[in-house]
Amino acid sequence: MPLVRICLVSAFLIGRVSKLLHFDAAVAKQLHFGLQPGWLWAGLATFVKIAGSVCVIANRFTWLGAGGLAALTLVAMLVANHFWRLEGTARFVALNSFFEHLGLIAAFVMVTYLAFGERRSRI
């Protein structure tokens, strides 16, 4: 199961390490989506993605880590994948991305549920 947890959060970890190395790009991305101040949102996203990933991988405070990552994913879905305002190919691409993110949120719910079950079976 540890490999599955690593795979689940790998995009968050890789992306955030890259954004830490190029924090100005992370700030610019937040500003692009209208999130002000960009440095605050970039810093918050960095903290949640790294800390949440560590919680999920370590299987400790999984509910908190997965919950934070799911909440951040939900915000990203609503801010970046506004398919309801698009048409044609752009709508198709955004709609697909929206539902991919929804599936990722479901995976975070599942990993939390499984971690809770593992803890209960040890008691």
Side-chain angles (χ1 to χ4, degrees), residues 11-35:
F12 293 100
L13 282 176
I14 292 167
R16 275 306 124 176
V17 168
S18 172
K19 293 287 187 339
L20 274 175
L21 296 174
H22 309 324
F23 194 71
D24 55 329
V27 171
K29 184 176 181 182
Q30 301 303 317
L31 294 173
H32 170 77
F33 289 114
L35 299 171

Side-chain angles (χ1 to χ4, degrees), residues 28-68:
K29 184 176 181 182
Q30 301 303 317
L31 294 173
H32 170 77
F33 289 114
L35 299 171
Q36 300 278 345
W39 62 267
L40 177 64
W41 286 99
L44 180 63
T46 297
F47 175 77
V48 170
K49 287 182 178 184
I50 291 174
S53 295
V54 169
C55 288
V56 170
I57 291 169
N59 204 22
R60 300 285 184 250
F61 298 103
T62 308
W63 64 272
L64 183 60

